């Protein structure tokens, strides 16, 4: 007999609408707070969106951020941010720093003289320092990247709205898009709260979150559509509860296995991909929550067309086989 891991029993009877007002109000509050954080605190844009130069340094001696800052101050480079990078995978004698320099007026990218001057200034403080990478983005390019990133997120959301509208009904589309707006806003709000670097890799993470979240939502909606045909006179609230319970095992297993991989990358993947992986990890958690507690609540409020003329599925039919 094959061994099957079950994190959730096959037949559950959780009442997901028991605290309906509380869960929906909590989600609305999260979206509102996140929007305020984005508006008030702003995002810590990376070089991709802000323009400028990022220099990554490595040394075998302990980094003195104050000494680094004093060394580059006479160069009059404007806004200069120096941060030490901590990573559990680094060796004991490996110390990494990231130096971000604002875009210089009249220059589309960092000039060789600028990079050489910074290197000379830092070597005067720490002769063991090495420069492993230099990245430059001009102000014009960074502005275009912001517009393209926003278009990518809005375009993906609009395409999902259209797809759900065609596959189900407009009420499902509104519920799905509300869940996606919730996921993206709360994820970006976390980046604003902790002032984590927001660059193109985070946009890629947001688009991935959209796909992951809508996949989970569609699974619940598909089962709901099947059950609406099967239980013609049962109240919509009860049919929704049955549908979520029937897909709960799949939801927990999918999200759980995804989180195992993401948390492993978050701990051991290194600082280069940490922002992307953090956004994905948080997005999976929020996306799973919104599929259960946001999307279906919107559909319940709007109601659905329950056509009694639709034929009931054949006995024993399950999954997509039950869809006419």
């Amino acid at each position: 007999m094959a061994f099957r891991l079950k994190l959730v029993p096959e037949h559950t009877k959780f009442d997901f609408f028991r605290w309906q007002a509380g869960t929906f109000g909590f989600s609305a509050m999260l979206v509102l707070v996140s929007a305020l954080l984005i508006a008030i605190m702003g995002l810590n844009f990376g070089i991709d969106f802000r323009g400028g130069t990022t220099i990554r340094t490595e040394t075998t001696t302990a980094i003195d951020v104050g000494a680094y800052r004093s060394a580059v101050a006479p160069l009059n480079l404007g806004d200069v941010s120096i941060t030490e990078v901590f990573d559990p995978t680094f060796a004991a004698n490996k110390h990494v720093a990231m130096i971000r320099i604002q875009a210089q007026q009249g220059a589309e990218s960092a000039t060789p003289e600028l990079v050489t001057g910074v290197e000379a200034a830092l070597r005067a403080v720490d002769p063991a320092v090495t420069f492993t990478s230099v990245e430059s983005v001009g102000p014009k390019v960074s502005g275009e990247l912001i517009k393209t990133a926003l278009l990518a997120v809005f375009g993906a959301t609009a395409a999902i709205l259209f797809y759900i509208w065609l596959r189900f009904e407009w009420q499902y589309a509104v519920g799905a898009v509300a869940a996606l707006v919730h996921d993206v806003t709360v994820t970006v709000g976390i980046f604003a709260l902790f002032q984590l670097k927001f660059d193109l890799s985070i946009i890629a993470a947001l688009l991935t979150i959209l796909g992951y979240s809508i996949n989970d939502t569609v699974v619940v909606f598909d089962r709901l559509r099947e059950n609406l045909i099967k239980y013609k006179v049962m109240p919509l609230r009860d049919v929704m509860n049955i549908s979520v319970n029937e897909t709960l095992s799949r939801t927990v297993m999918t999200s759980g296995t995804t989180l195992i991989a993401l948390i492993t990358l978050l701990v051991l993947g290194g600082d280069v991909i940490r922002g992307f992986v953090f956004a994905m990890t948080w997005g999976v958690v929020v996306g799973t929550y919104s599929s259960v507690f946001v999307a279906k609540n919107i559909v319940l409020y709007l109601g659905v067309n329950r056509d009694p003329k639709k034929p009931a599925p054949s006995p024993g039919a399950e999954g997509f086989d039950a869809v006419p």
Side-chain angles (χ1 to χ4, degrees):
M1 181 176 179
F3 172 75
R4 295 178 62 190
L5 176 63
K6 294 181 181 179
L7 299 179
V8 177
E10 285 189 15
H11 304 289
T12 59
K13 296 182 179 179
F14 297 115
D15 185 0
F16 290 97
F17 289 95
R18 183 176 181 181
W19 297 287
Q20 176 183 352
T23 56
F24 195 71
F26 176 69
S27 297
M29 182 191 70
L30 282 180
V31 172
L32 179 60
V33 171
S34 298
L36 289 175
L37 286 173
I38 296 169
I40 295 173
M41 299 183 65
L43 294 171
N44 179 21
F45 287 116
I47 293 298
D48 295 336
F49 294 140
R50 191 167 54 184
T53 303
T54 297
I55 301 175
R56 179 187 172 101
T57 69
E58 292 185 10
T59 181
T60 55
T61 60
I63 293 175
D64 186 341
V65 175
Y68 276 28
R69 188 173 291 111
S70 299
V72 299
L75 300 178
N76 297 320
L77 300 176
D79 184 17
V80 178
S81 172
I82 303 175
T83 56
E84 185 173 0
V85 178
F86 297 96
D87 194 300
T89 62
F90 288 167
N93 63 343
K94 181 178 179 179
H95 303 276
V96 178
M98 299 293 290
I99 303 170
R100 296 182 177 88
I101 305 169
Q102 72 173 40
Q104 302 299 299
Q105 188 173 6
E108 287 296 319
S109 61
T111 61
E113 292 78 11
L114 183 149
V115 177
T116 301
V118 173
E119 292 180 356
L122 294 182
R123 284 204 173 97
V125 175
D126 182 5
V129 69
T130 58
F131 300 83
T132 56
S133 68
V134 178
E135 300 176 2
S136 295
V137 177
K140 183 178 179 181
V141 174
S142 64
E144 293 175 352
L145 288 175
I146 292 176
K147 295 178 183 177
T148 304
L150 291 174
L151 286 175
V153 174
F154 289 136
T157 305
I160 290 171
L161 172 66
F162 184 68
Y163 166 76
I164 299 297
W165 193 343
L166 291 181
R167 182 170 174 81
F168 298 97
E169 297 176 19
W170 69 268
Q171 297 94 330
Y172 293 86
V174 173
V177 170
L180 296 183
V181 171
H182 169 274
D183 299 342
V184 171
T185 305
V186 173
T187 301
V188 176
I190 284 291
F191 275 77
L193 176 63
F194 295 108
Q195 288 296 292
L196 302 174
K197 187 173 72 171
F198 195 91
D199 53 20
L200 280 179
S201 67
I202 308 305
I203 297 297
L206 291 178
L207 294 174
T208 307
I209 291 168
L210 291 180
Y212 185 93
S213 179
I214 199 61
N215 177 69
D216 205 20
T217 303
V218 165
V219 169
V220 176
F221 283 173
D222 247 329
R223 185 56 59 91
L224 173 61
R225 182 170 58 178
E226 297 165 12
N227 286 334
L228 285 173
I229 301 173
K230 185 177 180 181
Y231 305 104
K232 294 181 180 294
V233 296
M234 182 180 292
L236 179 59
R237 181 182 185 276
D238 296 337
V239 179
M240 285 187 168
N241 256 331
I242 291 174
S243 303
V244 178
N245 276 287
E246 288 178 350
T247 57
L248 186 61
S249 178
R250 176 263 176 203
T251 299
V252 172
M253 288 295 291
T254 303
S255 300
T257 52
T258 305
L259 285 174
I260 290 173
L262 289 173
I263 291 173
T264 302
L265 286 173
L266 189 63
V267 175
L268 303 175
D271 65 287
V272 176
I273 63 171
R274 180 154 293 129
F276 172 83
V277 177
F278 174 79
M280 283 291 300
T281 304
W282 175 258
V284 167
V285 174
V286 174
T288 303
Y289 173 87
S290 68
S291 298
V292 175
F293 292 106
V294 176
K296 67 178 182 55
N297 283 341
I298 296 290
V299 176
L300 179 63
Y301 291 146
L302 297 175
V304 294
N305 179 27
R306 304 182 68 176
D307 187 357
K309 297 179 180 180
K310 291 182 180 179
S314 57
E318 295 182 356
F320 290 98
D321 295 332
V323 180

